[in-house]
Amino acid sequence: MEKIVTMLQDELLYKKYSNIGVLHLPKCLRIEMLYKSPFATYEQRPYVCAAPTECFKVQISEIDNQSDFITLKDGVLYSKDMNRLIFCWQEKEYFSVPQSVKVIEPFAFCLQKNLRNIELHNDIVSIGNAAFMGCEALEHIAIPRSVMEIKSDTFDGCISLKNVELHDEITQIGRHAFRHCDALQKIVLPRNLKYLNSFECCYSLHEIDIPSSVKEIDGFMFKYYLRKVILHSGVRKIRDYAFRFCKRLATINFPEGLETIGARAFYPSRMVKVIFPNSLKKIETEAFYYNEKLLYIEFLSNVSVEDCAFACCPIIRIKKPDDMIFGDKVFEQDTSYDKFAFWD
């Protein structure tokens, strides 16, 4: 442990220290609003890996604040005017964010493993990325109506999170925002949502209703135990790998308006019957590769279907327009054919 450390301007403490006895904040020190925190970070995740994110923060026993630009109160660092909550360095089980706070900075409550309850008021306008990363005891969160975006990594690793209240004015839910929220069984997505890429390794989440405001379904967003997906007419594209690894997915509708299904979007799944809409234009390589229970597919229009789109599927009935023609390898049955194996 480093007994006494004087913090320098723009210094990333986590690069130098794991434990600090006394952190001295000198008179001239400012901690500017950043996309990262001086106190915490996480390691780059392995690609397509279900392992929890490795995050870490500096453990601080005491802070000696002499800065004219920082306020220290009840184990929390704020900007001088207390508009910004910078970092909670003392362990908490319960916390009520002061009414003066407008912004919760990135990693502000990172690895508060005993934090069970936090009250967020409606004057908060921004919650930074990874703000609650690794809060393993947190069970409930209500997003203030003034917050319009859930940023990347916000609740990653909140393994006890069961109840999330989102309001309809939220337009984005960032990458990995709810990654490894293992206890999350249900979430109602905002009606005005434009983008989400957020629910990897949510093992208890069995069903999701994606609102019509979402135009594209991004890749690797869900995993394993997802069983039912409800899509609406607004969706235009299901991107590559969108439901990759959702091996228990048995029910999904393909609504009118959908134009593209990307590569390996449904490798594998447990679907038995699929009806594609009249609007569909393209199914890309290996989109339904190795769907071992897929017995029936129906096309309402002439769709471009790439090689191996239905490779290793036991399809016994196909309904299609008379002028629709398949290539030689669309229904390839060679199980050793694995074009994108390096991604897995």
Side-chain angles (χ1 to χ4, degrees):
M1 174 188 288
E2 294 288 338
K3 291 185 177 180
I4 301 177
V5 172
T6 298
M7 186 174 177
L8 305 177
Q9 188 65 45
D10 299 327
E11 182 179 22
L12 299 178
L13 291 174
Y14 63 76
K15 288 191 172 183
K16 295 183 179 180
Y17 311 105
S18 58
N19 287 277
I20 295 174
V22 179
L23 179 64
H24 176 69
L25 306 183
K27 188 175 180 65
C28 61
L29 181 74
R30 297 173 182 262
I31 301 177
E32 303 293 348
M33 187 162 57
L34 301 168
Y35 291 107
K36 53 189 175 182
S37 168
F39 305 100
T41 190
Y42 67 90
E43 294 180 354
Q44 186 65 37
R45 304 175 184 86
Y47 190 65
V48 191
C49 180
T53 302
E54 290 292 328
C55 53
F56 49 93
K57 68 176 181 179
V58 181
Q59 300 293 332
I60 302 170
S61 298
E62 183 180 344
I63 292 182
D64 170 34
N65 178 36
Q66 301 298 320
S67 171
D68 291 335
F69 307 100
I70 303 295
T71 295
L72 179 64
K73 184 178 180 181
D74 297 330
V76 181
L77 287 178
Y78 302 89
S79 59
K80 187 64 176 179
D81 58 9
M82 291 190 65
N83 280 175
R84 295 163 47 221
L85 191 158
I86 298 171
F87 186 61
C88 180
W89 58 276
Q90 285 187 354
E91 294 299 312
K92 306 285 186 183
E93 290 188 14
Y94 165 81
F95 188 75
S96 180
V97 176
Q99 199 67 35
S100 61
V101 171
K102 305 295 189 228
V103 175
I104 297 175
E105 295 284 4
F107 294 91
F109 293 91
C110 175
L111 287 173
Q112 287 278 339
K113 293 190 175 183
N114 297 317
L115 183 66
R116 295 185 179 278
N117 186 279
I118 185 163
E119 291 187 10
L120 306 176
H121 58 78
N122 280 327
D123 289 331
I124 296 170
V125 298
S126 177
I127 299 174
N129 57 290
F132 297 96
M133 177 179 274
C135 291
E136 296 181 352
L138 188 66
E139 295 185 359
H140 169 80
I141 195 77
I143 303 302
R145 298 199 65 82
S146 48
V147 173
M148 302 302 174
E149 176 184 358
I150 309 299
K151 295 184 179 178
S152 298
D153 310 302
T154 303
F155 300 101
D156 186 352
C158 293
I159 59 175
S160 300
L161 190 63
K162 297 178 181 178
N163 186 4
V164 178
E165 295 181 36
L166 304 176
H167 60 85
D168 282 335
E169 301 311 309
I170 292 172
T171 59
Q172 292 196 59
I173 301 178
R175 292 182 62 83
H176 315 303
F178 293 98
R179 187 178 189 271
H180 262 299
C181 290
D182 297 357
L184 187 64
Q185 295 182 6
K186 183 178 180 180
I187 188 166
V188 178
L189 296 177
R191 288 183 299 177
N192 293 313
L193 192 67
K194 304 298 183 187
Y195 174 81
L196 76 161
N197 186 340
S198 320
F199 297 98
E200 313 96 312
C201 309
C202 291
Y203 298 116
S204 300
L205 189 64
H206 294 167
E207 180 177 332
I208 193 79
D209 187 332
I210 300 176
S212 59
S213 54
V214 176
K215 305 303 181 187
E216 295 189 359
I217 311 299
D218 219 328
F220 295 116
M221 194 193 314
F222 303 99
K223 211 171 184 83
Y224 297 135
Y225 293 100
L226 189 67
R227 298 173 184 176
K228 181 178 180 180
V229 176
I230 301 171
L231 299 177
H232 298 274
S233 59
V235 66
R236 295 291 178 265
K237 184 173 185 178
I238 298 174
R239 297 176 64 89
D240 297 352
Y241 299 89
F243 296 96
R244 177 73 173 96
F245 300 117
C246 296
K247 58 186 178 182
R248 299 192 180 189
L249 179 61
T251 304
I252 184 171
N253 63 305
F254 296 102
E256 199 61 46
L258 179 65
E259 297 177 355
T260 304
I261 298 175
R264 284 204 170 189
F266 295 95
Y267 167 41
S269 83
R270 296 176 67 85
M271 287 183 280
V272 175
K273 177 180 179 180
V274 173
I275 300 175
F276 298 109
N278 185 67
S279 58
L280 191 66
K281 298 177 181 178
K282 187 176 184 180
I283 299 176
E284 296 185 2
T285 303
E286 302 182 12
F288 294 86
Y289 175 69
Y290 223 75
N291 277 227
E292 295 181 285
K293 294 186 176 294
L294 187 57
L295 301 176
Y296 176 87
I297 56 175
E298 180 176 345
F299 298 89
L300 300 182
S301 62
N302 196 330
V303 178
S304 171
V305 184
E306 293 188 354
D307 285 353
C308 301
F310 296 94
C312 302
C313 296
I315 297 169
I316 59 175
R317 186 181 176 196
I318 301 171
K319 187 175 181 180
K320 65 178 183 64
D322 293 339
D323 60 345
M324 185 174 177
I325 299 174
F326 297 111
D328 293 339
K329 291 188 176 182
V330 167
F331 301 99
E332 175 70 54
Q333 293 299 306
D334 183 358
T335 58
S336 67
Y337 186 87
D338 200 352
K339 180 178 179 181
F340 296 132
F342 61 90
W343 288 119
D344 301 335

